Amino acid sequence: MFELITAVSYEETIKKSLFIVHAAPVASVDEALQFIEAHSQADATHNCWAFRIGDDYRFNDDGEPGGTAGRPILAAIEGRELTNIVVLVIRYYGGIKLGTGGLVRAYGGTAAKCLHEAPKRKIVAMSRVYCDCPYSEMERVKVHLAQAGVQLVAEEFDEVGVKWECLIPVSMVQELEVSHRNLTRGQANWEIRTAEEMI
């Protein structure tokens, strides 16, 4: 799965109707609903939207025929494998009816175009690892972990050496544990406490 790095917008005129798309990363349902409220246009014909946060999703047709707006927007989100995102598509009616199929293509299509070019990042499953290291090997081990893309969360020093709290991609934990043991000649601890979704 992926998520947006920043909010993006896009607009397109289809048969004289103006479609304005606003998409943004969000962390909660409340945040998604606040974004919709803040960016909806009271003078627009329709303010249709969809959001997905983890397994939770919602969509709204805002007066368009059922299934012609909110669901196609959600399909655009799912088509890009996105989560933690809200997409609002505002329509100003231009006098020409699009028909059911036309509405589906217009709402889903403009949402997809907006999301296609949006900057994204992959969501990587991370493990939280607590490890330590004697002072004699500290710099070498720290450089090795940094080169492997490990995120250092906390660092604590005592009379023996250093203790680190790290976030490590799940796929690399086993390999790094072996190299950590080798670099410290078996003198260091390595403990996995929790696994979570992180960037």
Side-chain angles (χ1 to χ4, degrees):
M1 297 294 287
F2 297 83
E3 66 180 15
L4 294 187
I5 294 172
T6 187
V8 290
S9 296
Y10 171 83
E11 63 179 66
E12 182 179 347
T13 300
I14 300 171
K15 292 187 178 177
K16 296 188 179 180
S17 280
L18 175 62
F19 291 85
I20 302 168
V21 186
H22 298 296
V26 288
S28 67
V29 170
D30 284 345
E31 196 178 333
L33 295 173
Q34 286 167 14
F35 179 89
I36 292 162
E37 186 178 348
H39 291 82
S40 291
Q41 298 296 319
D43 64 337
T45 317
H46 304 280
N47 291 280
C48 305
W49 52 264
F51 66 75
R52 175 177 284 283
I53 297 147
D55 292 329
D56 195 3
Y57 66 88
R58 293 186 207 167
F59 55 86
N60 189 301
D61 294 316
D62 190 36
E64 293 282 29
T68 62
R71 187 168 283 286
I73 297 168
L74 181 63
I77 291 170
E78 292 172 340
R80 300 285 170 202
E81 297 182 2
L82 288 161
T83 189
N84 304 331
I85 182 176
V86 59
V87 179
L88 169 68
V89 182
I90 301 162
R91 181 190 184 192
Y92 286 92
Y93 181 58
I96 299 174
K97 291 187 176 180
L98 300 180
T100 303
L103 288 172
V104 170
R105 286 190 296 274
Y107 280 101
T110 54
K113 286 175 186 175
C114 180
L115 298 177
H116 177 68
E117 295 300 328
K120 309 168 192 72
R121 63 185 160 204
K122 188 175 179 65
I123 297 176
V124 179
M126 304 288 273
S127 288
R128 191 174 296 272
V129 173
Y130 294 81
C131 60
D132 55 34
C133 176
Y135 283 120
S136 58
E137 309 298 337
M138 184 179 78
E139 282 309 312
R140 195 157 58 117
V141 173
K142 194 170 184 179
V143 167
H144 178 71
L145 292 174
Q147 287 175 340
V150 171
Q151 296 176 37
L152 184 62
V153 177
E155 187 173 56
E156 191 179 304
F157 301 95
D158 60 21
E159 65 279 359
V160 181
V162 62
K163 294 179 180 177
W164 291 310
E165 178 186 343
C166 307
L167 288 172
I168 301 175
V170 170
S171 60
M172 298 176 66
V173 169
Q174 196 169 3
E175 176 189 338
L176 285 173
E177 182 177 5
V178 171
S179 62
H180 184 74
R181 190 164 52 244
N182 291 339
L183 287 168
T184 60
R185 299 181 195 80
Q187 299 175 53
N189 296 305
W190 181 277
E191 183 184 353
I192 304 167
R193 293 198 190 167
T194 60
E196 56 202 70
E197 291 294 312
M198 287 274 189
I199 299 305

